[in-house]
Amino acid sequence: MGIEQNIAYILERIEKAANRAGRNKDEIILVAVSKTHPIESILKAKECGINIFGENKAQELIQKYPLIDDVKWHFIGHLQKNKVKYIIDKVDMIHSLDSIELAKEIDKRAEKNQIKMRVLIEINIGKEDSKSGIYEEEIYSFMEELTKYKNLIVSGIMTIPPLNIDSDKTREYFRRMRQIFDEIKNLKYDNFDIKYISMGMTDDFEIAIEEGANIIRIGTGIFGKRIYKREGE
Ligand SMILES: *Cc1c(COP(=O)(O)O)cnc(C)c1O
């Protein structure tokens, strides 16, 4: 299937999952994860109505950014502090805030650019060594620290659950995220505007929608399989 058919199929599945959960499909934001895919594919997706793209490497985002107009970019991968300055004026949201040091750097660069940056707190919901993100137990102390950084708009939470687990277990993790969201969403600070739960990828986005996701991040389901080059090629 081509990108156009893939998108039609994903949109149909989003609508069905939303209906099952008694939700409106229009409250679900689709981020098309274009990492490793060429600009031609991104242009094609844009023609099909996609207007938000997700990248997880600063270098790749910088290369693609000037090649397409009138779309938004979300940064979805682990972000090194020294890369913040390259992406700060290019992205609308950073999904992967995972340390106070990073918050401080984003705040500093946002101030220099005279913008406010929307950020989501990444939660390592499965407590995996291989993943970044804070543990759920840390969320309140983390958020308290974030009140200091006035050039951030703390907008919600994001997670990538453990891979290759059965779908009931995935659903439990998503449900836990929803509980955390419900606990924090009424926290009121000048720089908080908590409204997003970013969870759900190609293999689990329908479960995520059923459990309350309002941002989903889909790569493979739209662009097909990723082919990674080996280092140095
Ligand atoms: C790659 C990636 C995705 C998309 O994954 P697919 O399984 O291809 O849909 C979503 N979120 C993050 C953070 C990613 O790195």
Side-chain angles (χ1 to χ4, degrees):
M1 278 204 299
I3 289 171
E4 190 173 353
Q5 292 92 323
N6 288 348
I7 290 171
Y9 184 48
I10 294 285
L11 294 178
E12 185 185 315
R13 288 167 63 194
I14 291 172
E15 182 167 0
K16 284 188 177 147
N19 287 344
R20 278 198 297 280
R23 304 180 58 198
N24 185 335
K25 67 173 176 21
D26 296 331
E27 58 186 75
I28 293 145
I29 296 171
L30 171 60
V31 176
V33 178
S34 48
K35 64 189 189 198
T36 78
H37 294 288
I39 194 70
E40 292 73 26
S41 299
I42 301 176
L43 290 164
K44 182 78 206 163
K46 186 192 171 196
E47 274 177 35
C48 302
I50 300 288
N51 56 4
I52 306 176
F53 294 92
E55 291 283 340
N56 69 340
K57 296 230 159 48
Q59 183 61 34
E60 193 172 337
L61 173 69
I62 293 163
Q63 285 174 0
K64 289 172 177 173
Y65 181 81
L67 305 178
I68 180 167
D69 294 323
D70 303 321
V71 299
K72 290 177 177 169
W73 296 95
H74 284 195
F75 198 85
I76 61 168
H78 178 64
L79 179 56
Q80 290 170 283
K81 273 184 294 171
N82 62 356
K83 301 283 170 62
V84 173
K85 58 179 176 288
Y86 302 119
I87 66 149
I88 193 76
D89 58 340
K90 300 180 178 63
V91 303
D92 262 61
M93 198 186 293
I94 295 171
H95 287 227
S96 40
L97 179 62
D98 56 7
S99 74
I100 293 299
E101 295 73 46
L102 180 61
K104 192 172 176 178
E105 178 67 15
I106 296 170
D107 181 67
K108 177 175 139 191
R109 297 295 170 182
E111 182 169 27
K112 275 198 177 159
N113 282 269
Q114 297 182 306
I115 58 163
K116 307 275 187 213
M117 180 56 63
R118 280 199 183 272
V119 295
L120 304 180
I121 300 166
E122 181 170 354
I123 298 185
N124 183 352
I125 200 73
K127 296 194 167 65
E128 297 171 279
D129 291 339
S130 60
K131 291 224 170 86
S132 29
I134 65 166
Y135 286 178
E136 57 180 281
E137 292 80 3
E138 300 170 303
I139 187 103
Y140 283 100
S141 57
F142 193 79
M143 290 183 76
E144 193 175 329
E145 281 292 306
L146 293 181
T147 61
K148 293 182 192 162
Y149 301 108
K150 305 297 182 198
N151 302 292
L152 305 183
I153 305 172
V154 178
S155 302
I157 51 178
M158 175 271 211
T159 201
I160 309 169
L163 299 176
N164 307 318
I165 55 175
D166 63 52
S167 59
D168 290 348
K169 194 78 188 130
T170 304
R171 187 180 295 279
E172 273 176 43
Y173 284 124
F174 288 156
R175 197 165 284 175
R176 181 65 199 133
M177 285 290 288
R178 173 60 188 272
Q179 287 168 352
I180 297 166
F181 178 78
D182 285 339
E183 287 166 29
I184 63 168
K185 74 177 176 211
N186 294 316
L187 293 175
K188 297 277 184 280
Y189 280 101
D190 297 349
N191 68 338
F192 287 6
D193 178 28
I194 297 171
K195 56 184 181 189
Y196 297 123
I197 316 183
S198 168
M199 60 185 185
M201 319 198 314
T202 297
D203 289 334
D204 57 18
F205 72 91
E206 289 152 306
I207 304 172
I209 290 170
E210 287 168 12
E211 298 303 328
N214 54 14
I215 302 182
I216 59 173
R217 311 175 307 265
I218 300 187
T220 312
I222 291 176
F223 296 108
K225 278 212 174 70
R226 287 181 286 276
I227 299 166
Y228 287 96
K229 289 187 187 159
R230 271 173 288 164
E231 281 307 311
E233 273 181 49

